[in-house]
Amino acid sequence: WLLPVLLIPKPLNPALWFNHSMFMGFYLLSFLLERKPCTICALVFLAALFLICYSCWGNCFLYHCQDAALPDAAHDPAIVGT
């Protein structure tokens, strides 16, 4: 139930990053409080999430890494303006 959370892409429009990160954060918090997954499973997931965000290698939903380049489509006014 937690692995698809890592696969949800971050929106290209920077104005939606805050809403996306709040949604994902509240989803994870409510999932952990309601379903109460095993401690080891939750720790493994949180460690994977920390490593993805710390390395800026993947798609961290908490913030946009300064060194990470945006996709080419992010600079297209037709996409960003929608």
Side-chain angles (χ1 to χ4, degrees), residues 2 31-32 35-48:
L2 288 174
F31 179 84
L32 292 174
R35 297 284 175 119
K36 295 181 179 72
C38 67
T39 306
I40 294 173
C41 299
L43 289 177
V44 167
F45 176 77
L46 293 175

Side-chain angles (χ1 to χ4, degrees), residues 31-75:
F31 179 84
L32 292 174
L33 290 175
E34 181 182 349
R35 297 284 175 119
K36 295 181 179 72
C38 67
T39 306
I40 294 173
C41 299
L43 289 177
V44 167
F45 176 77
L46 293 175
L49 186 65
F50 172 76
L51 290 175
I52 287 173
C53 290
Y54 181 73
S55 67
C56 289
W57 178 68
N59 188 17
C60 181
F61 67 86
L62 297 174
Y63 57 88
H64 178 71
C65 299
Q66 298 298 329
D67 297 337
L70 290 173
D72 293 334
H75 301 292

Side-chain angles (χ1 to χ4, degrees), residues 1-11 16-33 45-46 49 53 59-63:
W1 290 101
L2 288 174
L3 289 179
V5 172
L6 297 176
L7 301 175
I8 296 175
K10 192 175 359 179
L16 297 176
W17 287 348
F18 179 75
N19 293 339
H20 178 74
S21 64
M22 293 300 291
F23 171 75
M24 297 300 284
F26 283 130
Y27 174 79
L28 288 174
L29 180 66
S30 65
F31 179 84
L32 292 174
L33 290 175
F45 176 77
L46 293 175
L49 186 65
C53 290
N59 188 17
C60 181
F61 67 86
L62 297 174
Y63 57 88

